[in-house]
């Protein structure tokens, strides 16, 4: 999830002569170089980000990258991570360095200090960072060969390990090393030219620390080196940096609001789910109220699939490992699968996805073109070995339930089927109150052919089909180069929640490769055997993640139709318990979820308890109400309606739930 950065303006290109610094060319061209819209790096013709001090070997065209653009913010945050690491080593000599990449809305750096960091340490580090930033130190790139890097970093054991990974580093490690030569980034005193501090890094970086206008350290946490529990435990400091102080302030305000909506906190307060240590990281259990939420979601999505022409199927949780070699998940997805199990001398795996097993259902008998599209759907439990550092509540778990569907169709049917699926999943999100979204098209990274399977022609065709359908939708389409699964490109829906954060939700993927690997066929109208194409789609993504997102979107105040408890009866005195019990029976007869608080608490405490539990309808009854066959409505916002006849009250509640209204009930709405 993220808060959106400033939209990227139309690209401006600047000519840079051979041997000329990009910075000088930008100055001559009159490009803004200060403030949030000022350039902090440039992008060359190959899309590579370069320092402003970069001088090309031959004439080049570059695009200035502003500080408040997504790429500019990533560079700013990476440079802030360096300033933080420098501050740590100055304050706590002997602290070893791990990695320090930019991340969404911020940055972190991993350290091995002599003791864990305290909140007071973070205050001191941030103060030292301010001194470094104010000094205007220069970031200077310095190429270095492997042996020289090992000699210079002889006391930094984690950096030495990264040097050995140079050609295979991926993800956040790739901010330090990657394919090609190594580079150091020196922090240089602007007045004396003296090297003050240095780090192994690929860059690029800001020209000077003064271009870090707004930074704040957020917290420290334990983290395993390179995300593996088998490795040494380090201390990770998280920070955030922005192009203006106002942007930083707005971000901190968003975080404050997000903290109130944190589904992990609300899950406990509302008694929805928990994460018992006895089970292990990323393995939630749902309590009765959370079970109601799951049931509502699962019943909804199951029926919607049936209505859309899907057949419900079920597959086991484990399989022989050979199946995943056939599908290609092994070796391409191996890092995200749990280790193998030996059963009677045969290697088994927990399934991390449902598609290979659905392929076996398709393959179980001969298929005719008359059956296509063949649509299979499953609420399938899968297991993914997420690294401990990325497991997060319900939004990143190790055991999850996917509302997984696979459509098998002819190549000619694929565009129409994708349109149908896209309409399906957008309608689903709207039904749950998520109606602000855009599309992202994830494609293959042609520079990493070993990460993907299939022919160039199949990839080009699949990508073209998805892009055409996405553009027809009229929604904003954002490219995501390199974000495709190993077997095919995908469209994902990025939905914004009530406070503007973006969450990746539903996906549609077009796959020519698995049908080929499983040798799937159908008999065409002319009697020949043809290969179908396969379309993967997940509407919720996973049930767990969707519940986490909805909990934060609604801050736990779910629409009445989703609320685990839809109505609570609150008697003013014990004498009204029986009256409200009878009202509750009538409500249950209409399929509504209702409780009566017959505890010994005073009425006002009962109301406060109901409001804390975010129950949409409170029915209060005293002696006068009971005599009149009426109740008083009280709503979440504190508004109230009095002396409402019981039949009217029941009809209003039942109608609200039946309409699946996502608006929270209020007195004004019903007055």
């Amino acid at each position: 999830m993220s808060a959106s950065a400033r939209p990227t303006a139309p690209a401006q290109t600047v000519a840079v002569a051979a041997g000329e610094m990009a910075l000088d060319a930008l100055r001559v061209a009159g490009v803004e170089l200060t403030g949030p819209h000022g350039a902090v790096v440039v992008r060359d013709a190959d899309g590579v980000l370069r320092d402003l001090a970069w001088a090309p070997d031959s004439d080049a065209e570059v695009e200035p990258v502003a500080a408040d653009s997504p790429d500019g913010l990533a560079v700013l945050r990476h440079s802030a991570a360096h300033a933080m690491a420098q501050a740590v080593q100055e304050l706590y000599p002997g602290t070893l360095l791990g990695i320090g990449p930019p991340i969404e809305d911020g940055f972190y750096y991993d350290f091995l200090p002599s003791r864990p960091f305290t909140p007071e340490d973070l205050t001191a580090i941030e103060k030292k960072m301010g001194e470094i930033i104010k000094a205007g130190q220069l970031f200077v790139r310095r190429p270095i060969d492997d042996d020289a890097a090992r000699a210079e970093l002889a006391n930094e054991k984690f950096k030495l390990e990264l040097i050995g990974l140079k050609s295979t580093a991926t993800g956040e490690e790739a901010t330090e090393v990657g394919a090609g030569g190594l580079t150091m980034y020196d922090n240089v005193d602007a007045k004396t030219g003296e090297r003050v501090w240095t780090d192994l890094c690929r860059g690029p970086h800001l020209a000077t620390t003064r271009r870090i206008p707004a930074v704040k350290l957020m917290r420290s946490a334990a983290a395993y080196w390179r995300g593996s529990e088998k490795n040494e435990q380090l201390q990770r400091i998280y920070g955030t940096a922005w192009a203006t102080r106002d942007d930083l302030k707005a971000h901190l305000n968003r975080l404050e609001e997000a903290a109130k909506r944190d589904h992990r906190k609300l899950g406990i307060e509302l008694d929805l789910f928990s994460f018992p240590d006895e089970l292990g990281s990323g393995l939630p259990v749902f309590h009765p109220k959370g079970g109601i939420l799951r049931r509502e979601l699962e019943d909804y999505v199951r029926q919607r699939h049936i209505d859309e022409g899907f057949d419900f199927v079920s597959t086991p949780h484990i399989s022989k490992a050979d199946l995943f070699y056939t599908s290609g998940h092994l070796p391409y997805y191996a890092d995200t699968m749990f280790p193998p199990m030996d059963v009677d001398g045969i290697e088994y795996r927990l399934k991390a996805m449902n598609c290979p097993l659905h392929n076996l259902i398709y393959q179980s008998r001969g298929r005719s073109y008359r059956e296509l599209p063949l649509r299979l759907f499953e609420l399938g439990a899968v297991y993914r070995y997420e690294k401990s550092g990325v497991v997060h509540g319900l939004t990143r778990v190790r055991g999850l339930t996917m509302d997984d569907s696979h459509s098998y169709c002819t190549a000619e049917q694929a565009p129409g089927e994708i349109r149908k699926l896209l309409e399906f999943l957008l309608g689903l999100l709207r039904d749950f109150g998520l109606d602000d979204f855009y599309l992202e098209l994830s494609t293959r990274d042609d520079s990493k052919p070993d990460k993907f399977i299939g022919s160039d022609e199949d990839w080009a065709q699949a990508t073209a089909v998805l892009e055409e359908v996405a553009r027809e939708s009229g929604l904003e389409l954002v490219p995501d180069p390199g974000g495709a699964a190993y077997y095919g490109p995908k469209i994902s829906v990025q939905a914004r929640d009530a406070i503007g954060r973006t969450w990746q939700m539903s996906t549609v993927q077009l796959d020519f490769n698995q049908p080929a690997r499983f040798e799937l066929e159908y008999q065409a109208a002319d009697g020949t055997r043809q290969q179908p194409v396969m379309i993967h789609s997940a509407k919720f993504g996973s049930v767990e993640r969707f519940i986490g997102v909805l909990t934060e979107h609604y801050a736990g105040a779910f629409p009445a139709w989703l609320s685990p408890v839809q109505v609570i009866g609150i008697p003013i005195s014990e004498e009204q318990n029986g009256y409200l019990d009878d009202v509750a029976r009538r409500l249950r007869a209409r399929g509504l979820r209702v409780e009566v608080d017959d505890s010994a608490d005073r009425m006002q405490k009962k109301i406060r308890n109901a409001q804390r539990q975010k129950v949409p309808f409170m029915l209060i009854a005293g002696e006068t109400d009971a005599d009149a066959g009426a109740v008083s409505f009280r709503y979440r916002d504190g508004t109230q309606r009095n002396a409402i006849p019981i039949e009217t009250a029941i009809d209003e509640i039942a109608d609200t739930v039946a309409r699946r209204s996502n608006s929270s009930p209020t007195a004004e709405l019903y007055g």
Side-chain angles (χ1 to χ4, degrees):
M1 63 180 175
S2 69
S4 53
R6 182 179 70 97
T8 303
Q12 171 191 5
T13 58
V14 175
V16 184
E20 179 186 20
M21 279 204 315
L23 176 62
D24 293 335
L26 296 188
R27 281 194 181 120
V28 171
V31 173
E32 192 174 348
L33 294 169
T34 60
H37 307 326
V40 289
V41 291
V42 295
R43 181 179 290 104
D44 69 15
D46 295 323
V48 177
L49 296 180
R50 305 282 189 176
D51 300 317
L52 293 183
W54 173 68
D57 294 330
S58 58
D59 292 352
E61 294 282 332
V62 300
E63 175 191 336
V65 177
D68 60 354
S69 68
D71 284 335
L73 284 170
V75 171
L76 187 157
R77 289 162 181 160
H78 191 185
S79 297
H82 275 225
M84 178 176 72
Q86 178 184 345
V88 167
Q89 290 199 314
E90 288 185 10
L91 290 170
Y92 311 102
T95 299
L96 299 185
L97 301 175
I99 61 172
I103 55 175
E104 199 167 41
D105 291 342
F107 60 89
Y108 71 76
Y109 213 114
D110 288 340
F111 302 97
L112 183 59
S114 59
R115 58 167 176 78
F117 293 115
T118 66
E120 292 75 22
D121 292 334
L122 265 60
T123 300
I125 294 165
E126 189 173 311
K127 181 179 179 182
K128 176 61 71 173
M129 287 178 69
E131 296 171 7
I132 293 168
I133 291 167
K134 187 176 180 180
Q137 295 178 7
L138 308 178
F139 289 97
V140 179
R141 184 177 184 271
R142 174 166 54 94
I144 190 170
D145 63 40
D146 290 17
D147 290 339
R150 289 190 180 96
E152 187 169 334
L153 298 167
N155 296 321
E156 293 281 2
K157 63 180 181 180
F158 302 113
K159 299 292 185 180
L160 293 177
E161 183 176 335
L162 290 175
I163 293 171
L165 294 171
K166 180 175 66 174
S167 62
T168 58
T170 59
E172 291 164 348
E173 295 163 3
T175 62
E176 312 281 325
V177 295
L182 297 174
T183 55
M184 305 290 290
Y185 268 82
D186 300 328
N187 280 32
V188 173
D189 187 294
K191 294 179 180 177
T192 67
E194 176 188 359
R195 185 196 307 168
V196 181
W197 185 80
T198 192
D199 196 8
L200 178 71
C201 185
R202 297 180 69 192
H205 280 282
L206 305 174
T208 168
T209 56
R210 279 192 176 275
R211 289 293 273 131
I212 306 173
V215 64
K216 183 171 180 57
L217 300 188
M218 305 303 295
R219 61 187 175 92
S220 62
Y224 291 104
W225 170 237
R226 299 181 61 204
S228 172
E229 296 173 2
K230 298 176 183 178
N231 292 335
E232 201 162 358
Q233 191 175 79
L234 308 181
Q235 285 281 297
R236 176 173 294 179
I237 299 179
Y238 289 93
T240 187
W242 295 83
T244 69
R245 292 176 186 241
D246 285 345
D247 288 346
L248 173 60
K249 183 178 179 181
H251 173 69
L252 296 177
N253 288 338
R254 285 194 297 270
L255 289 182
E256 184 179 351
E257 179 60 30
K260 298 175 186 175
R261 295 170 175 265
D262 190 327
H263 72 276
R264 296 168 299 175
K265 176 176 72 76
L266 290 170
I268 294 170
E269 292 175 358
L270 302 178
D271 195 20
L272 300 175
F273 48 79
S274 59
F275 300 87
D277 289 338
E278 295 85 347
L279 287 180
S281 177
L283 299 170
V285 294
F286 284 82
H287 303 184
K289 290 180 179 178
I292 290 171
L293 268 178
R294 282 193 70 111
R295 188 187 70 211
E296 287 287 346
L297 266 63
E298 291 175 1
D299 288 351
Y300 168 95
V301 81
R302 186 184 293 109
Q303 189 59 51
R304 281 295 308 274
H305 275 90
I306 292 169
D307 293 344
E308 295 289 341
F310 285 84
D311 292 316
F312 185 79
V313 299
S314 180
T315 60
H317 294 214
I318 65 172
S319 163
K320 292 179 180 178
D322 285 348
L323 178 67
F324 301 113
Y325 284 103
T326 301
S327 68
H329 289 96
L330 292 173
Y332 292 97
Y333 207 74
D335 289 347
T336 315
M337 296 182 71
F338 275 87
M341 297 174 280
D342 186 294
V343 181
D344 300 328
I346 299 173
E347 183 179 308
Y348 281 77
R349 291 272 190 158
L350 283 170
K351 68 174 178 178
M353 62 298 298
N354 298 300
C355 42
L357 291 84
H358 289 192
N359 289 338
L360 297 182
I361 295 173
Y362 181 97
Q363 201 180 51
S364 64
R365 63 173 177 81
R367 303 289 178 180
S368 164
Y369 73 96
R370 299 180 187 277
E371 297 177 71
L372 306 185
L374 176 66
R375 304 181 179 102
L376 304 180
F377 163 71
E378 174 174 13
L379 280 164
V382 299
Y383 303 89
R384 295 180 177 174
Y385 182 64
E386 301 285 4
K387 291 183 178 181
S388 58
V390 299
V391 170
H392 182 83
L394 293 179
T395 59
R396 200 73 178 262
V397 294
R398 288 175 169 169
L400 55 148
T401 306
M402 295 191 66
D403 58 330
D404 229 350
S405 77
H406 297 95
S407 300
Y408 301 87
C409 57
T410 69
E412 294 76 19
Q413 291 171 330
E417 186 69 8
I418 293 168
R419 287 186 193 95
K420 176 186 177 75
L421 287 166
L422 190 57
E423 290 172 3
F424 178 1
L425 58 89
L426 292 177
L428 175 145
L429 293 176
R430 290 187 182 102
D431 283 353
F432 284 90
L434 294 165
D435 54 11
D436 181 6
F437 36 64
Y438 63 92
L439 303 181
E440 191 170 79
L441 179 61
S442 300
T443 53
R444 183 174 67 168
D445 184 347
D446 291 330
S447 69
K448 298 178 180 177
D450 58 321
K451 300 294 184 183
F452 303 91
I453 59 175
S455 69
D456 292 346
E457 294 76 15
D458 283 349
W459 273 89
Q461 182 179 349
T463 302
V465 169
L466 286 177
E467 182 171 4
E468 178 185 355
V469 174
R471 293 197 183 282
E472 285 177 1
S473 73
L475 295 172
E476 178 188 3
L477 181 62
V478 175
D480 175 32
Y486 72 89
Y487 51 78
K490 70 176 179 182
I491 296 171
S492 60
V493 181
Q494 308 288 328
R496 298 180 183 91
D497 68 11
I499 59 173
R501 297 170 300 176
T502 301
W503 303 82
Q504 178 176 305
M505 304 301 291
S506 317
T507 58
V508 180
Q509 296 171 279
L510 182 53
D511 182 1
F512 287 84
N513 290 302
Q514 283 202 52
R517 294 175 75 94
F518 279 85
E519 299 180 349
L520 303 184
E521 292 183 336
Y522 66 91
Q523 183 171 316
D526 61 3
T528 60
R529 309 299 298 177
Q530 301 291 329
Q531 179 185 299
V533 297
M534 182 178 183
I535 303 170
H536 310 246
S537 180
K539 316 308 179 302
F540 291 145
S542 80
V543 173
E544 292 77 9
R545 177 178 171 80
F546 200 76
I547 288 174
V549 172
L550 283 183
T551 302
E552 300 207 5
H553 177 61
Y554 288 111
F558 299 105
W561 69 277
L562 276 178
S563 292
V565 178
Q566 295 165 326
V567 187
I568 188 161
I570 299 176
I572 291 177
S573 68
E574 185 179 347
E575 284 71 25
Q576 287 82 52
N577 287 355
Y579 174 70
L580 284 176
D581 284 338
D582 182 63
V583 173
R585 281 192 291 273
R586 294 164 70 180
L587 286 163
R588 291 188 189 104
R590 298 285 291 271
L592 298 167
R593 297 185 287 271
V594 58
E595 295 178 355
V596 175
D597 186 349
D598 57 5
S599 68
D601 292 332
R602 296 174 67 85
M603 181 189 71
Q604 290 303 325
K605 185 174 181 181
K606 293 179 181 182
I607 291 172
R608 286 195 299 272
N609 290 341
Q611 287 178 321
R612 277 197 292 268
Q613 289 298 301
K614 304 182 187 292
V615 178
F617 295 101
M618 289 168 262
L619 299 185
I620 302 171
E623 183 180 355
T624 302
D625 295 303
D627 290 343
V631 292
S632 293
F633 267 115
R634 188 178 176 92
Y635 303 97
R636 285 171 175 153
D637 65 350
T639 58
Q640 191 160 319
R641 293 164 61 221
N642 299 320
I644 308 299
I646 283 298
E647 285 303 324
T648 301
I650 292 173
D651 287 344
E652 285 184 3
I653 296 169
D655 177 67
T656 300
V657 171
R659 288 188 290 106
R660 294 177 180 261
S661 170
N662 291 317
S663 298
S664 195
T666 65
E668 182 180 2
L669 192 64
Y670 291 95

